[in-house]
Amino acid sequence: MRTLVVEDEPDLLHSLMQALREDGYAVDGAANGEEGLFKAENYDYDAIILDIMLPLLDGWQLLQRLRKTKKTPVLMLTARDAIRDRVRGLDTGADDYLIKPFDIDELLARVRALIRRSLSEASSRVPLGDVVLDTAARKLTRDGQEILLTAREYALVEYLALHRGKVVTRTMLYEHLFDEDDSSLSNLLDVHVSNIRKKLGHDFISTRRGHGYCIELQS
Ligand code: CA
């Protein structure tokens, strides 16, 4: 999953990006509204964390313009006691808001919930045959036994699992699993898939030649 943080306070921007990275997201940052809008329109983010008070273009203006073309889930950061800000944010098309200062664990939980909702996923536990993916705990278990995955392997399994039954192209995977600072080699995807198959069985991920990868729907 790839996220964008639009925040002009450098320390907060840095700590938010770091927390999201530690939680397994690919993360891009923008320090003003124009840069934020440019990235939000040009990349397909899974969620955007958007501050309201921003230079060049404020959070509302950014959101208003973005909503003309994209439905990317947006979590707005608002000032304490600014009820009108929250109402305006939700009216403009924000999906959720959080009041500054906030607890980072709450922010991470809300981002997870936003992404889940945007994918119409009812629960953080996703059954995949005899394997269960828990997106809140970021774990994969089989018969209650955890299957240890690297952060990249987990991110790949999670993305395919949340789009199960659909073919996910390599381009989509590169766009959603890596951020603009990543300079990974293109063959790495195959290496990750091969390592996941060693741990979960070859059929866990199907390859659609020339198209991409798929975790099949289990009946
Ligand atoms: Ca600000």
Side-chain angles (χ1 to χ4, degrees):
M1 298 288 164
R2 183 174 177 184
T3 56
L4 171 68
V5 182
V6 191
E7 168 61 65
D8 59 320
E9 290 164 50
D11 289 348
L12 184 55
L13 176 63
H14 180 259
S15 61
L16 283 175
M17 288 178 73
Q18 194 176 357
L20 285 158
R21 279 212 178 99
E22 281 168 9
D23 215 31
Y25 295 94
V27 191
D28 294 338
N32 65 63
E34 271 182 8
E35 188 190 358
L37 180 64
F38 177 82
K39 289 183 177 176
E41 284 182 330
N42 285 282
Y43 300 102
D44 216 358
Y45 293 105
D46 297 289
I48 297 172
I49 292 99
L50 177 63
D51 189 30
I52 288 183
M53 299 308 284
L54 292 166
L56 301 182
L57 206 63
D58 68 29
W60 289 304
Q61 294 169 313
L62 190 163
L63 186 59
Q64 208 169 18
R65 295 211 206 162
L66 181 68
R67 282 290 175 258
K68 288 179 184 162
T69 54
K70 286 202 162 184
K71 292 182 192 166
T72 317
V74 169
L75 172 66
M76 276 196 125
L77 305 178
T78 77
R80 179 174 291 283
D81 296 331
I83 292 171
R84 271 188 305 175
D85 283 4
R86 277 170 258 157
V87 172
R88 187 171 167 193
L90 293 169
D91 279 344
T92 311
D95 300 273
D96 198 4
Y97 64 86
L98 202 53
I99 301 164
K100 284 179 166 183
F102 48 81
D103 182 76
I104 196 73
D105 288 330
E106 183 176 2
L107 178 128
L108 294 171
R110 281 174 187 261
V111 170
R112 276 196 298 276
L114 269 190
I115 294 174
R116 209 161 60 217
R117 238 184 292 154
S118 73
L119 295 166
S120 307
E121 209 60 69
S123 157
S124 58
R125 287 170 63 84
V126 181
L128 307 162
D130 61 349
V131 172
V132 176
L133 172 81
D134 185 332
T135 59
R138 299 179 47 75
K139 272 204 300 202
L140 209 65
T141 53
R142 176 180 270 154
D143 304 324
Q145 201 76 21
E146 183 175 357
I147 296 156
L148 293 174
L149 299 176
T150 65
R152 282 280 196 238
E153 288 165 9
Y154 174 83
L156 181 52
V157 169
E158 183 189 68
Y159 196 82
L160 291 173
L162 293 176
H163 297 81
R164 58 197 178 282
K166 294 178 189 142
V167 177
V168 176
T169 64
R170 297 172 63 85
T171 309
M172 280 169 79
L173 288 170
Y174 279 112
E175 280 177 3
H176 289 269
L177 302 185
F178 302 100
D179 51 51
E180 56 190 5
D181 296 330
D182 277 312
S183 55
S184 310
L185 296 167
S186 63
N187 64 2
L188 272 183
L189 258 189
D190 304 308
V191 175
H192 292 315
V193 169
S194 152
N195 289 336
I196 292 164
R197 282 173 171 156
K198 280 179 201 149
K199 295 175 183 181
L200 286 150
H202 189 268
D203 294 340
F204 185 73
I205 296 175
S206 354
T207 303
R208 304 287 178 84
R209 295 263 167 246
H211 297 284
Y213 298 105
C214 177
I215 289 181
E216 309 286 351
L217 277 177
Q218 307 283 329
S219 49

Coordinates of all heavy atoms in Angstrom, one line a residue, residues 29-85:
G29 N 6.1 12.1 0.4 CA 5.7 13.3 1.2 C 5.6 14.5 0.3 O 6.2 14.6 -0.8
A30 N 4.8 15.5 0.7 CA 4.7 16.8 0.1 C 4.6 17.9 1.1 O 3.9 17.7 2.1 CB 3.5 16.8 -0.8
A31 N 5.4 19.0 1.0 CA 5.5 20.0 2.0 C 4.6 21.2 1.7 O 4.6 22.1 2.5 CB 7.0 20.4 2.1
N32 N 3.9 21.2 0.6 CA 2.9 22.3 0.4 C 1.8 21.7 -0.5 O 1.8 20.6 -1.0 CB 3.6 23.5 -0.3 CG 4.1 23.1 -1.7 OD1 3.3 22.8 -2.6 ND2 5.4 23.2 -1.9
G33 N 0.7 22.5 -0.6 CA -0.5 22.0 -1.3 C -0.3 21.8 -2.7 O -0.9 20.8 -3.3
E34 N 0.5 22.6 -3.4 CA 0.6 22.4 -4.9 C 1.3 21.0 -5.2 O 0.9 20.3 -6.1 CB 1.4 23.5 -5.5 CG 0.5 24.6 -5.9 CD 1.2 25.8 -6.6 OE1 2.5 25.7 -6.9 OE2 0.6 26.8 -6.8
E35 N 2.4 20.8 -4.4 CA 3.2 19.6 -4.6 C 2.3 18.4 -4.2 O 2.3 17.3 -4.9 CB 4.4 19.6 -3.7 CG 5.4 18.4 -3.9 CD 6.4 18.3 -2.9 OE1 6.5 19.2 -2.0 OE2 7.2 17.4 -2.9
G36 N 1.5 18.6 -3.2 CA 0.6 17.5 -2.8 C -0.5 17.2 -3.8 O -0.7 16.0 -4.1
L37 N -1.1 18.2 -4.4 CA -2.1 18.0 -5.4 C -1.5 17.3 -6.7 O -2.0 16.4 -7.2 CB -2.7 19.3 -5.8 CG -3.8 19.2 -6.9 CD1 -5.0 18.4 -6.4 CD2 -4.3 20.6 -7.4
F38 N -0.3 17.8 -7.0 CA 0.4 17.2 -8.2 C 0.6 15.7 -8.0 O 0.3 14.9 -8.8 CB 1.8 17.9 -8.4 CG 2.5 17.2 -9.6 CD1 2.3 17.6 -10.9 CD2 3.5 16.3 -9.3 CE1 3.0 17.0 -11.9 CE2 4.2 15.7 -10.4 CZ 3.9 16.0 -11.7
K39 N 1.1 15.3 -6.8 CA 1.4 13.9 -6.6 C 0.1 13.1 -6.5 O -0.1 12.0 -7.0 CB 2.2 13.7 -5.3 CG 3.6 14.2 -5.5 CD 4.5 14.0 -4.3 CE 6.0 14.4 -4.6 NZ 6.9 14.3 -3.5
A40 N -0.9 13.7 -5.8 CA -2.2 13.0 -5.6 C -2.9 12.8 -6.9 O -3.6 11.8 -7.1 CB -3.1 13.9 -4.7
E41 N -2.7 13.7 -7.9 CA -3.3 13.5 -9.2 C -2.6 12.6 -10.1 O -3.1 11.9 -10.9 CB -3.5 14.9 -9.9 CG -4.6 15.7 -9.3 CD -4.8 17.0 -10.0 OE1 -3.8 17.6 -10.5 OE2 -5.9 17.5 -10.0
N42 N -1.2 12.5 -9.8 CA -0.4 11.7 -10.8 C -0.1 10.3 -10.3 O 0.4 9.5 -11.1 CB 0.9 12.5 -11.1 CG 0.6 13.6 -12.1 OD1 0.4 13.4 -13.3 ND2 0.4 14.9 -11.6
Y43 N -0.2 10.0 -9.0 CA 0.0 8.7 -8.5 C -1.3 8.1 -8.0 O -2.1 8.9 -7.5 CB 1.1 8.7 -7.5 CG 2.5 9.2 -8.0 CD1 2.9 10.5 -7.6 CD2 3.3 8.4 -8.8 CE1 4.1 10.9 -8.1 CE2 4.5 8.9 -9.3 CZ 4.9 10.1 -8.9 OH 6.1 10.6 -9.4
D44 N -1.3 6.8 -8.0 CA -2.5 6.2 -7.5 C -2.3 5.7 -6.0 O -2.0 4.6 -5.8 CB -2.8 5.0 -8.4 CG -4.3 4.7 -8.6 OD1 -5.1 5.5 -8.0 OD2 -4.6 3.8 -9.3
Y45 N -2.5 6.7 -5.1 CA -2.3 6.3 -3.7 C -3.4 5.5 -3.1 O -4.6 5.6 -3.5 CB -2.1 7.6 -2.9 CG -0.8 8.3 -3.2 CD1 -0.8 9.5 -4.0 CD2 0.4 7.8 -2.8 CE1 0.3 10.1 -4.3 CE2 1.6 8.5 -3.2 CZ 1.5 9.6 -3.9 OH 2.7 10.3 -4.3
D46 N -3.1 4.7 -2.1 CA -4.1 4.0 -1.4 C -4.8 4.8 -0.3 O -5.9 4.6 0.1 CB -3.5 2.7 -0.8 CG -3.0 1.8 -1.9 OD1 -3.9 1.2 -2.6 OD2 -1.8 1.7 -2.1
A47 N -4.0 5.8 0.2 CA -4.6 6.8 1.2 C -3.7 8.0 1.2 O -2.5 8.0 0.9 CB -4.7 6.2 2.6
I48 N -4.4 9.2 1.5 CA -3.7 10.4 1.6 C -3.9 11.0 3.0 O -5.1 11.1 3.5 CB -4.1 11.4 0.6 CG1 -3.8 10.9 -0.8 CG2 -3.5 12.8 0.8 CD1 -4.4 11.7 -2.0
I49 N -2.9 11.5 3.7 CA -3.0 12.2 5.0 C -2.7 13.6 4.7 O -1.7 14.0 4.2 CB -2.0 11.6 6.0 CG1 -2.3 10.2 6.4 CG2 -2.0 12.5 7.3 CD1 -1.5 9.2 5.7
L50 N -3.8 14.5 4.9 CA -3.8 15.8 4.4 C -4.0 16.8 5.5 O -5.0 16.9 6.2 CB -4.9 16.0 3.4 CG -5.2 17.3 2.7 CD1 -3.9 17.8 1.9 CD2 -6.4 17.2 1.8
D51 N -3.0 17.7 5.7 CA -3.1 18.8 6.7 C -4.0 19.9 6.0 O -4.0 20.0 4.8 CB -1.7 19.3 7.0 CG -1.7 20.3 8.1 OD1 -2.6 20.2 9.0 OD2 -0.9 21.2 8.1
I52 N -4.6 20.7 6.9 CA -5.5 21.8 6.3 C -4.7 23.0 6.0 O -4.7 23.5 4.9 CB -6.7 22.1 7.2 CG1 -7.7 20.9 7.2 CG2 -7.3 23.4 6.8 CD1 -8.9 21.2 8.0
M53 N -3.9 23.5 7.0 CA -3.2 24.7 6.8 C -1.9 24.4 6.1 O -1.0 23.9 6.7 CB -2.9 25.4 8.2 CG -4.2 25.8 8.9 SD -5.4 26.7 8.0 CE -4.6 28.3 8.0
L54 N -1.9 24.8 4.8 CA -0.7 24.5 4.0 C -0.4 25.7 3.1 O -1.3 26.4 2.7 CB -1.0 23.3 3.0 CG -1.2 21.9 3.6 CD1 -1.8 21.1 2.5 CD2 0.1 21.3 4.1
P55 N 0.9 25.9 2.8 CA 1.2 27.0 1.9 C 0.8 26.7 0.4 O 0.7 25.5 0.1 CB 2.7 27.1 2.0 CG 3.2 25.9 2.7 CD 2.1 25.2 3.3
L56 N 0.6 27.7 -0.4 CA 0.3 27.6 -1.8 C -1.1 27.2 -2.1 O -1.8 27.8 -2.9 CB 1.3 26.7 -2.6 CG 2.8 27.2 -2.5 CD1 3.7 26.3 -3.3 CD2 3.0 28.6 -2.9
L57 N -1.6 26.1 -1.5 CA -2.9 25.6 -1.7 C -3.3 25.0 -0.4 O -2.5 24.1 0.1 CB -2.8 24.5 -2.8 CG -4.0 24.2 -3.7 CD1 -4.4 25.5 -4.5 CD2 -3.6 23.1 -4.6
D58 N -4.4 25.3 0.3 CA -4.7 24.7 1.6 C -5.3 23.3 1.3 O -5.7 23.0 0.2 CB -5.5 25.6 2.5 CG -6.9 25.9 2.0 OD1 -7.5 25.0 1.3 OD2 -7.4 27.0 2.3
G59 N -5.5 22.6 2.4 CA -6.1 21.3 2.4 C -7.4 21.2 1.7 O -7.7 20.3 0.9
W60 N -8.3 22.2 2.0 CA -9.6 22.2 1.3 C -9.5 22.4 -0.2 O -10.2 21.7 -0.9 CB -10.5 23.3 1.9 CG -10.9 23.1 3.3 CD1 -11.6 22.0 3.8 CD2 -10.6 24.0 4.4 NE1 -11.8 22.2 5.1 CE2 -11.2 23.4 5.5 CE3 -10.0 25.2 4.5 CZ2 -11.2 24.0 6.8 CZ3 -10.0 25.8 5.7 CH2 -10.6 25.2 6.9
Q61 N -8.7 23.3 -0.6 CA -8.6 23.6 -2.0 C -8.0 22.3 -2.7 O -8.5 22.0 -3.8 CB -7.7 24.8 -2.3 CG -8.2 26.1 -1.8 CD -7.2 27.2 -1.8 OE1 -6.1 27.0 -1.3 NE2 -7.6 28.3 -2.3
L62 N -7.0 21.7 -2.1 CA -6.4 20.5 -2.7 C -7.5 19.5 -2.8 O -7.6 18.9 -3.9 CB -5.3 20.1 -1.7 CG -4.3 18.9 -2.3 CD1 -3.1 18.9 -1.4 CD2 -5.0 17.6 -2.3
L63 N -8.2 19.2 -1.8 CA -9.2 18.2 -1.8 C -10.3 18.4 -2.8 O -10.7 17.5 -3.5 CB -9.8 18.1 -0.4 CG -10.8 16.9 -0.1 CD1 -10.2 15.6 -0.4 CD2 -11.3 17.0 1.3
Q64 N -10.8 19.7 -2.8 CA -11.8 20.1 -3.8 C -11.4 19.8 -5.2 O -12.1 19.2 -6.0 CB -12.1 21.5 -3.6 CG -13.5 21.9 -4.0 CD -13.7 23.4 -3.6 OE1 -12.8 24.1 -3.3 NE2 -15.0 23.7 -3.5
R65 N -10.1 20.1 -5.5 CA -9.6 19.9 -6.9 C -9.4 18.4 -7.2 O -9.7 17.9 -8.2 CB -8.3 20.6 -7.1 CG -8.5 22.1 -7.1 CD -7.5 22.8 -8.0 NE -7.2 24.1 -7.5 CZ -6.2 24.9 -7.8 NH1 -5.3 24.3 -8.6 NH2 -6.0 26.1 -7.4
L66 N -8.9 17.7 -6.2 CA -8.6 16.3 -6.3 C -9.9 15.5 -6.6 O -10.0 14.6 -7.4 CB -7.9 15.7 -5.1 CG -7.6 14.2 -5.1 CD1 -6.5 13.9 -6.2 CD2 -7.1 13.7 -3.8
R67 N -11.0 15.9 -5.9 CA -12.3 15.2 -6.0 C -12.9 15.3 -7.3 O -13.8 14.5 -7.6 CB -13.2 15.6 -4.9 CG -12.9 15.0 -3.5 CD -13.2 13.5 -3.4 NE -12.8 12.9 -2.2 CZ -11.7 12.2 -2.0 NH1 -10.9 12.0 -3.1 NH2 -11.4 11.6 -0.9
K68 N -12.4 16.2 -8.2 CA -13.0 16.3 -9.5 C -12.6 15.1 -10.3 O -13.2 14.7 -11.3 CB -12.5 17.6 -10.2 CG -13.2 18.8 -9.6 CD -12.7 20.1 -10.3 CE -13.3 21.3 -9.6 NZ -12.6 22.5 -9.9
T69 N -11.4 14.4 -10.0 CA -10.9 13.3 -10.7 C -10.7 12.0 -10.0 O -10.7 11.0 -10.5 CB -9.6 13.7 -11.4 OG1 -8.7 14.1 -10.4 CG2 -9.8 14.7 -12.5
K70 N -10.5 12.2 -8.6 CA -10.1 10.9 -7.9 C -10.8 10.8 -6.6 O -11.1 11.7 -5.9 CB -8.6 11.0 -7.6 CG -7.8 10.7 -8.9 CD -6.4 10.3 -8.5 CE -5.7 9.6 -9.7 NZ -4.4 9.1 -9.3
K71 N -11.0 9.5 -6.2 CA -11.7 9.1 -5.0 C -10.8 8.6 -3.9 O -11.2 8.0 -2.9 CB -12.7 8.0 -5.3 CG -13.9 8.4 -6.1 CD -14.8 7.2 -6.2 CE -15.9 7.4 -7.3 NZ -16.5 6.2 -7.6
T72 N -9.5 8.8 -4.1 CA -8.5 8.4 -3.1 C -8.9 8.7 -1.7 O -9.3 9.8 -1.4 CB -7.1 9.1 -3.4 OG1 -6.9 9.1 -4.8 CG2 -6.0 8.4 -2.6
P73 N -8.9 7.7 -0.8 CA -9.3 8.0 0.6 C -8.4 9.1 1.2 O -7.2 9.0 1.1 CB -9.1 6.6 1.3 CG -9.1 5.6 0.2 CD -8.6 6.3 -1.0
V74 N -9.1 10.0 1.9 CA -8.3 11.2 2.5 C -8.6 11.3 4.0 O -9.8 11.3 4.4 CB -8.6 12.5 1.8 CG1 -8.1 13.7 2.6 CG2 -8.1 12.5 0.4
L75 N -7.6 11.3 4.8 CA -7.7 11.6 6.2 C -7.2 13.0 6.4 O -6.0 13.3 6.2 CB -6.8 10.6 7.0 CG -6.7 10.8 8.5 CD1 -8.0 10.6 9.2 CD2 -5.6 9.8 9.1
M76 N -8.0 13.9 7.0 CA -7.6 15.3 7.2 C -7.2 15.5 8.6 O -7.7 15.0 9.5 CB -8.8 16.2 6.9 CG -8.9 16.5 5.4 SD -10.0 17.9 5.1 CE -8.9 19.0 4.2
L77 N -6.1 16.3 8.7 CA -5.6 16.7 10.0 C -6.1 18.1 10.4 O -5.9 19.0 9.6 CB -4.1 16.7 10.0 CG -3.4 15.4 9.5 CD1 -1.9 15.5 9.5 CD2 -3.8 14.2 10.4
T78 N -6.9 18.2 11.4 CA -7.5 19.5 11.7 C -7.0 20.0 13.1 O -6.5 19.2 13.9 CB -9.0 19.4 11.8 OG1 -9.4 18.8 13.0 CG2 -9.6 18.6 10.6
A79 N -7.2 21.3 13.3 CA -6.8 21.9 14.6 C -7.9 21.5 15.7 O -9.0 21.3 15.4 CB -6.7 23.4 14.5
R80 N -7.4 21.5 16.9 CA -8.3 21.2 18.0 C -9.4 22.3 18.1 O -9.2 23.4 17.8 CB -7.5 21.3 19.3 CG -8.3 21.0 20.6 CD -7.4 21.0 21.8 NE -6.5 19.8 21.7 CZ -7.0 18.5 22.0 NH1 -8.2 18.3 22.3 NH2 -6.1 17.5 22.0
D81 N -10.6 21.8 18.4 CA -11.8 22.7 18.6 C -12.3 23.3 17.3 O -13.2 24.1 17.4 CB -11.5 23.8 19.6 CG -11.2 23.2 21.0 OD1 -11.7 22.1 21.3 OD2 -10.4 23.8 21.7
A82 N -11.7 23.0 16.2 CA -12.2 23.6 15.0 C -13.3 22.7 14.3 O -13.1 22.0 13.3 CB -11.0 23.8 14.0
I83 N -14.4 22.7 15.0 CA -15.5 21.8 14.5 C -15.9 22.2 13.1 O -16.2 21.3 12.3 CB -16.8 22.0 15.4 CG1 -16.4 21.3 16.8 CG2 -18.0 21.2 14.8 CD1 -17.4 21.5 17.9
R84 N -15.9 23.5 12.8 CA -16.3 23.9 11.4 C -15.3 23.4 10.4 O -15.7 23.0 9.3 CB -16.3 25.5 11.3 CG -17.7 26.0 11.7 CD -17.7 27.5 11.4 NE -16.7 28.2 12.1 CZ -16.4 29.5 11.9 NH1 -17.1 30.2 11.1 NH2 -15.4 30.1 12.6
D85 N -14.0 23.3 10.8 CA -13.0 22.7 9.9 C -13.4 21.2 9.5 O -13.3 20.8 8.4 CB -11.6 22.6 10.6 CG -10.9 24.0 10.6 OD1 -11.6 24.9 10.1 OD2 -9.8 24.0 11.0

